Every structure is written in structure tokens, then in C-alpha cells.
Amino acid sequence: MSSIPAPKLELADDEWRKRLNPAEYAVLRQAGTERPFTGEYTDTKTEGIYACRACGTELFRSTEKFESHCGWPSFFDPSHSEAVILRPDDSGGMHRVEVLCANCHSHLGHVFSGEGYPTPTDQRYCINSISLKLVPSQE
């Protein structure tokens, strides 16, 4: 298994706790998960950019968001290939692929392939709303 590059933004644990509220910290820094259908962006149709709530790095765009009806915001591709890091996650007795912010290594969610959604990539980046901050497009 290859190692992942070091984060560009590294903060001490107490600094993350000052920057994030307890719920954000639990998901972003401890790989927690928000309950399905409770997130701020699950059904959002606002056009814009979805940035990492921890560091502000652009991760996804509304043009790649789709309705999967899974309870979390779903995207078929990140905004650019270097935006996220994928790593194996065998926690919880199942094999999944974890999605991390490439800049600060915060936990975003998981990516699933081959589920049959009618998207160009046949992937579903299942991302916690609490891991994201929507920056609406300026028109």
C-alpha cells in the first residue's frame, strides 16, 4: 500500500478544536459520520463550489452533484483530481474507500463505484454536509 503525501496544512489537535465546532471536529478530524438526511447540503440545488469546511480548499462543484437519495450529498467527481485523496478504509467490518481533503487530510466521506447511477464516472462520492462549505456562484 502506498503512503499518502503529508498534508499541506497541519495543525495541532487543540488548534483544530478551536477552529471547528464539536460536531465538525467529530466528522472532519475523527472520521465520524453525520446521520443520513440531516445534512445542510443533502438536497441543495444552489450552484457553486463546495469547499472543505476545515481549510477552505475547493473540493467539488455543483455541476458534479447529483441526487442519489442516499441521505448525504453525492458527487460523481471532485472538482479536480488533486483535490482529494482516496485511501482504503476497512473499519466497521466492511471494505470502503475513504475520501480525504488533499490539503488538510480532513475526513469527507467515502466513494463508491459500480452502483449504476447514470453519471459519467459511475462513482458516488458520498460526502458529509458538515465537511463542506458551499460558496454560491456569483452571477
Side-chain angles (χ1 to χ4, degrees):
M1 181 163 107
S2 63
S3 63
I4 60 175
K8 294 176 185 102
L9 174 64
E10 291 188 80
L11 299 177
D13 192 57
D14 63 327
E15 293 175 88
W16 283 119
R17 288 183 186 277
K18 288 177 190 170
R19 183 180 279 216
L20 304 168
N21 71 38
E24 293 166 348
Y25 182 86
V27 172
L28 288 156
R29 303 310 304 170
Q30 297 178 314
T33 302
E34 65 192 357
R35 289 188 337 233
F37 302 103
T38 62
E40 179 179 9
Y41 303 126
T42 302
D43 298 316
T44 300
K45 307 236 187 302
T46 303
E47 291 184 16
I49 291 170
Y50 289 86
C52 176
R53 191 174 296 256
C55 72
T57 297
E58 179 182 320
L59 301 170
F60 299 96
R61 294 184 180 159
S62 59
T63 51
E64 282 73 46
K65 189 173 188 281
F66 71 100
E67 291 187 35
S68 67
H69 308 288
C70 70
W72 293 273
S74 296
F75 302 86
F76 61 81
D77 215 10
S79 63
H80 56 281
S81 60
E82 302 85 29
V84 299
I85 293 172
L86 305 180
R87 75 173 173 193
D89 176 7
D90 294 320
S91 66
M94 64 185 97
H95 176 72
R96 299 179 292 178
V97 177
E98 183 181 18
V99 182
L100 303 171
C101 171
N103 189 57
C104 69
H105 288 198
S106 287
H107 172 78
L108 305 172
H110 292 87
V111 62
F112 303 93
S113 298
E115 296 178 314
Y117 288 102
T119 62
T121 63
D122 197 22
Q123 292 186 312
R124 176 174 57 96
Y125 285 78
C126 184
I127 307 298
N128 292 286
S129 286
I130 203 166
S131 296
L132 302 170
K133 180 73 176 162
L134 175 60
V135 180
S137 297
Q138 302 292 322
E139 296 191 48

